[in-house]
Amino acid sequence: MPLPTPGGPILSSPPKVTAPGSIQSGLNSCQPQRPKKRGRPRGATLTWEDRLQADQLIKLESLSRPTGGRRRGWPRLLRSIGVRSSRGLPATRVVWWGADMSSLSRELVFLILQFLDEEKFKETVHKLEQESGFFFNMKYFEEEVHNGNWDDVEKYLSGFTKVDDNRYSMKIFFEIRKQKYLEALDKHDRAKAVDILIKDLKVFASFNEELFKEITQLLTLDNFRENEQLSKYGDTKSARAIMLAELKKLIEANPLFRDKLQFPNLKNSRLRTLINQSLNWQHQLCKNPRANPDIKTLFVDHSCGQPNGARAPSPANNPLLGSISKAGGFPPLGATHGPTSAPVPTPLAGWMSNTPTATHATVSSGTIGLGGAANQAALLKHPRTPPSTNPAIDYPSAESDHVPKRTRPIGISDEVNLPVNILPVTYPGQNHNQAMYSPDDLPKAVARTLSQGSNPMSMDFHPIQQTILLVGTNVGDIALWDVGARERLSLRNFKVWELGQCSVPLQTSLVKDPGVSVNRIIWSPDGSLFGVAYSRHIVQIYSYHGGDEIKPHLEIDAHVGGVNDLAFAHPNKQLCVITCGDDKTIKVWDATNGTKQYTFEGHEAPVFSVCPHHKENIQFIFSTAIDGKIKAWLYDNMGSRVDYDAPGHWCTTMAYSADGSRLFSCGTSKEGESFIVEWNESEGAVKRTYQGFRKRSLGVVQFDTTRNRFLAAGDEFMIKFWDMDNVNLLTTVDAEGGLPASPRIRFNKEGTLLAVSTNDNGIKILANAEGVRLLRTFENRSFDTSRAASETATKPIISPMSAVAVATSAGIADRGVSSVPMAGMNGDARNLDVKPRITEEPMDKSKIWKLTEINEPAQLRSLRLMDTLRASKISRLIYTNSGIALLALASNAIHLLWKWPRNDRNSSGKATASVQPQLWQPPSGILMTNDITDTNPEEATPCFALSKNDSYVMSASGGKISLFNMMTFKTMTTFMPPPPAATFLAFHPQDNNIIAIGMDDSTIQIYNVRVDEVRSKLRGHSKRITGLAFSHVLNILVSSGADAQLFVWGTDGWEKQRSRFLQMPAGKTPSANSETKVQFHQDQIHFLVVHETQLAIYETTKLECVKQYVPREPSAPITHATFSCDSQLVYASFLDATVCIFSAPHLNLRCRISPTSYLTANVSPNVYPLVIAAHPSEPNQFALGLTDGGVHVLEPLESEGKWGVAPPAENGSASSLSAAPPAGASGSEQQQR
């Protein structure tokens, strides 16, 4: 008999296995009338989640289906808003309104619900939902259940069903009242429990008197958990959550809720749109229509007064009516969507509708996944902002051609997929809501001063490696800085790569005037590319492979004149480059091959900046020109959708807050008056204007946003900060002086660092407390001292270009603005005050570099995790995605989970070598133990995979595959019994219900957990599968096997694309049990291959080995290796217990850790790391799983901050790198192991 779920409903087990009258039998006998037929109700499908929770499912029965809900107050509501019967309407409207009055009345309720939600009448929304009975808001219901507002829960339910309506309803009310009763008992509030028993539960005694007596007897117990069937009851929170899953299934199966769990797809602010259309129709009927009618009431029909002889404006240019629709194109914003015989004047309602801060759930539970819009232009007009912190309601937009899908109440949830190394995730207990930030969180202290040598014009921090800074200057130089190490990693002077391929105008302009400035430099979203927009025609795209390795990727002759701005975007899931220029156009280019995809024309002046963005699946671009015009474009060559004037009517840049919910712009007029404003996306109007600028700014002011909370701008030789919600200046920082009048600024992604340009051709890095710690992590003092001495001795070299004043592009210079600096987007000014460029001599790092050897415990931080279970060897090891725990799988099929506490010593609660974690188990004391076959589990190949939200782990140890709940350790299901046995598991990056399973019979099975079926079986390997890795960028799966083969499979049709045998080093013979592991680099294009004979980096599209490390004889074999979270390091363990740390770009050895530094002296020589795991957000932390069952966490000393110093690239071989054998055992000793 299945055990009750801890904390769950005690009356939810299948009735056929329980004795009549027991608590566990519950309401299975508490129904008014038992139907004769049993079976699945119509419309209720049993998914795999139902099978997972078989011990909680109810044998649902087919019932008659009463129709409709209660609508007692609805006629009164209709009358209150003036809706009359069809007889009271004008004759011209009777036809359509009178066709189905009841249907239209019902639709009007939905329109009112949407309107009330948008206006934040939250209580009224739910009151109308209840009173009309048209829509059951499952999100609101869930919230009330979680909060334990039982009276409100029952009151809300009463609008849709009563206790005695049917068996489902009876079960729903009983579960709620039973939970309320148990909570009162748990709080030892006997008086309240008795009251609940008499008033709420006694009604069920008539159906099952024995049950009521047994529930009553709980009052006699000091702790109701003494009852055997309630012994697994957990805490209140978990009990409510489990009960809610049960209630949701009952509601979905209850016929009274049919067609009431999904809100209709409506365009945002649909009721406002209808009213607006009515007003425009009334305005067109005016005898003397005014250009800007003043509409003050909706109570009477609109009519314009006599304009005192003024001539009525033409509808074509009427600001209210907007422009006439283009034939065959999308109508202007706010237009009526529908077939018309001729173009008609339409209102310009705004960029976007009133986007609700809370949205209505379209289905019964969970988050809603909405697909692409049926009308993309409409969504550009009405983009939806991300939901607020109030999850109660979710009114969807109709701009979706995907069927809304119901999230599974039990099972693996759909999750947002991020690259493996991008982990800006909020976890329980780590709320990063903006309210937690204060002005002290702003980066205001000068932490670094960098000497660039020429005037920085544009800067951008790497999106993942947050101490890597790109800089573009006024003489065309680009530089790559590691601000943590104070090291300039690379410097490139401007050069046209293929001059012969360039247009004649570009060649001519370079001959006449070789001066070129960087107008914009920016990283791609994943940091694998960066783009440079120059003041002369061209854009150059570089690829970045970590460290100091940047390579030319694309050169595009983009515009006639200057390229004023550049951005990356992902229209149609394809990375593109967006540029704008003096030729008044915006162009979109394929970032892979440079093919031009779109050209947007419509501006009447040079285009100054672009701001690509997306709402749901709709991609669009805002652009600004130097005449102050703002336009918006979809990727369709159908013309602009928006035409507005920016404050200042000159150079303006636009930017969204990090979460995409708020739109800001910053601009400066020709007279020097500057503005930062927030836009009301509903009206296309300025929502607030921030105060604090001087009346005459010297230059175009630059700005940036951070943390969804703060704005910053460079003005008056300082940086000014604002809170987004307050127009008054928050604070200012002068960065210890030396700033230009309008400094260029740029935040890093987390807002902990701020780069600011200086007067002396330099850059200051400002930091907050967290930023200072980040910089110290990457700082090596001894290396910095040597480098500082070298930098001091650098001699200036005057570039031939430095004497040439960099001219602006013709389109802008003709307008007489050459005396004022110009700005690119987000903090990139184009100052014409050119200073001579000083080129620093590169430092000869090879003379001072030395391999870091760690041989003593005092040279690192090491922590062996406490283990009371005496586990056998650790076969698999992984950090949770939150970074707060370590999960291990031992060879005896038992899982071990260590969680770090949050306390004064560990304020972040993340894994660290400085604080001992707790070996965690749920209150039940159960262990996560895999199913094992009759064979010895030590001989099996264990494997596991963790879901992205850390809620589930899929695992196998030679037997069936098990799915565990990480909170309760409960086995949710098992499947796929051997043979064949699973040897490797990997979740699909876009769908957690799809799992790639490597088998010991050399096949790979693509398994859909939700429907319990194998979608595809991949064949090609000749031995067991030992590694699987997905690339969400390339849409491929890479597999590796014990046969030392690599295969690439397409994930669209699961077809084999290419394969290759591993390149075995000469003289190396792998053992019979050798495994090949694979792991993708953060760029999702290269991947790491780990074999006992070598480490290698492969390029996926060609499946070519680009880097290789082969241990020199007689070194020990490699046991395991992994990338650091930022893919800049490779951690590798060896059979002699040595750990080596490599710089990933070249696989150059940079640090070697001897076993004597982390293992005790009395440890057996047979103890060594079998597996190594990297922390998901701390690039210098890793953990080792040992053959003796121990787990060690290793970090560098705080004073060092990192593992050694990267060797110069020239010291390493491009194809192979030999290294001294790891300290420890000799070659003969390895053979004995």
Side-chain angles (χ1 to χ4, degrees), residues 47 208 245 525 555 618 689 914 1062:
T47 64
N208 191 329
E555 186 173 59
I618 308 307
T689 300
S914 303
L1062 203 61

Side-chain angles (χ1 to χ4, degrees), residues 933-1078:
T933 60
D934 296 333
T935 60
N936 184 357
E938 299 281 346
E939 299 175 358
T941 302
C943 54
F944 65 14
L946 187 64
S947 67
K948 291 184 291 297
N949 64 357
D950 297 335
S951 296
Y952 309 94
V953 61
M954 195 83 69
S955 185
S957 295
K960 297 179 183 177
I961 300 174
S962 300
L963 178 65
F964 295 99
N965 185 309
M966 285 280 285
M967 294 298 294
T968 64
F969 282 14
K970 181 179 178 181
T971 304
M972 301 181 65
T973 188
T974 59
F975 55 95
M976 284 200 174
T983 56
F984 205 93
L985 300 167
F987 282 103
H988 191 285
Q990 273 81 40
D991 187 351
N992 259 347
N993 290 291
I994 304 297
I995 304 173
I997 306 174
M999 296 293 192
D1000 61 4
D1001 67 349
S1002 77
T1003 64
I1004 303 168
Q1005 298 194 21
I1006 307 303
Y1007 178 69
N1008 189 317
V1009 185
R1010 178 169 187 153
V1011 298
D1012 190 20
E1013 70 175 13
V1014 176
R1015 293 180 53 181
S1016 186
K1017 187 175 288 189
L1018 313 182
R1019 293 181 173 87
H1021 287 279
S1022 59
K1023 293 184 180 180
R1024 73 182 187 280
I1025 305 301
T1026 59
L1028 296 168
F1030 282 97
S1031 168
H1032 64 271
V1033 171
L1034 300 177
N1035 293 324
I1036 55 94
L1037 170 69
V1038 172
S1039 64
S1040 59
D1043 55 2
Q1045 281 196 92
L1046 304 173
F1047 278 79
V1048 178
W1049 315 84
T1051 57
D1052 293 332
W1054 301 107
E1055 74 286 353
K1056 183 176 74 175
Q1057 295 184 351
R1058 60 191 68 85
S1059 64
R1060 186 183 296 271
F1061 278 95
L1062 203 61
Q1063 302 174 9
M1064 288 297 170
K1068 296 278 187 179
T1069 303
S1071 62
N1073 295 323
S1074 64
E1075 296 185 346
T1076 306
K1077 304 288 188 183
V1078 288

Side-chain angles (χ1 to χ4, degrees), residues 278-469:
S278 173
L279 292 174
N280 277 275
W281 173 67
Q282 294 172 28
H283 185 67
Q284 291 185 62
L285 297 179
C286 290
K287 295 181 179 180
N288 300 290
R290 293 180 180 175
N292 295 289
D294 186 13
I295 301 175
K296 296 181 178 180
T297 180
L298 299 177
F299 293 163
V300 296
D301 288 347
H302 163 70
S303 177
C304 291
Q306 181 68 26
N308 296 323
R311 189 163 55 104
S314 166
N317 55 20
N318 189 316
L320 172 68
L321 302 180
S323 57
I324 294 178
S325 303
K326 299 178 182 180
F330 289 97
L333 302 187
T336 304
H337 296 279
T340 56
S341 58
V344 295
T346 51
L348 191 62
W351 300 341
M352 304 153 194
S353 75
N354 264 350
T355 52
T357 57
T359 48
H360 229 141
T362 60
V363 293
S364 62
S365 64
T367 306
I368 308 308
L370 294 176
N375 185 340
Q376 296 191 355
L379 190 52
L380 175 59
K381 290 172 280 188
H382 310 293
R384 296 168 53 205
T385 59
S388 71
T389 55
N390 175 16
I393 44 182
D394 183 7
Y395 284 96
S397 169
E399 279 94 20
S400 173
D401 56 8
H402 288 197
V403 178
K405 54 184 179 181
R406 183 171 62 223
T407 59
R408 297 168 292 283
I410 300 174
I412 300 176
S413 63
D414 291 327
E415 301 163 354
V416 177
N417 297 293
L418 295 174
V420 68
N421 294 303
I422 303 178
L423 300 163
V425 185
T426 301
Y427 302 96
Q430 292 178 290
N431 183 13
H432 296 292
N433 188 284
Q434 69 173 20
M436 296 179 63
Y437 295 124
S438 71
D440 293 336
D441 294 311
L442 292 169
K444 295 184 286 188
V446 177
R448 296 286 189 274
T449 300
L450 312 175
S451 178
Q452 174 60 41
S454 52
N455 188 16
M457 305 298 292
S458 178
M459 300 175 289
D460 197 25
F461 279 98
H462 194 278
I464 300 170
Q465 302 172 53
Q466 298 200 43
T467 62
I468 300 298
L469 178 67

Side-chain angles (χ1 to χ4, degrees), residues 135-136 138 251-252 257 259-263 361-364:
F135 174 65
F136 184 82
M138 187 67 81
I251 290 170
E252 290 168 8
F257 290 84
D259 300 327
K260 297 179 183 180
L261 299 177
Q262 181 171 325
F263 197 85
T362 60
V363 293
S364 62

Side-chain angles (χ1 to χ4, degrees), residues 68 85 123 158 232 256 311 319 328 357 459 470 480 536 580 623 660 682 714 716 743 759 770 775 807 930 1055 1087:
S85 66
E123 294 183 6
S158 68
K232 301 297 184 181
L256 294 180
R311 189 163 55 104
T357 57
M459 300 175 289
L470 268 177
L480 185 68
R536 297 299 180 88
C580 65
S623 62
S682 305
E716 290 189 88
N759 264 331
E770 186 179 346
L775 294 175
N930 279 334
E1055 74 286 353
F1087 63 90

Side-chain angles (χ1 to χ4, degrees), residues 54 58 62 88 254 304 389 431 570 593 658 673 825 979 1107 1111 1145 1148 1221:
I58 301 170
S62 300
N254 194 328
C304 291
T389 55
N431 183 13
H570 278 95
N593 54 32
E673 188 175 2
M825 181 181 168
K1107 303 289 179 185
N1148 291 345

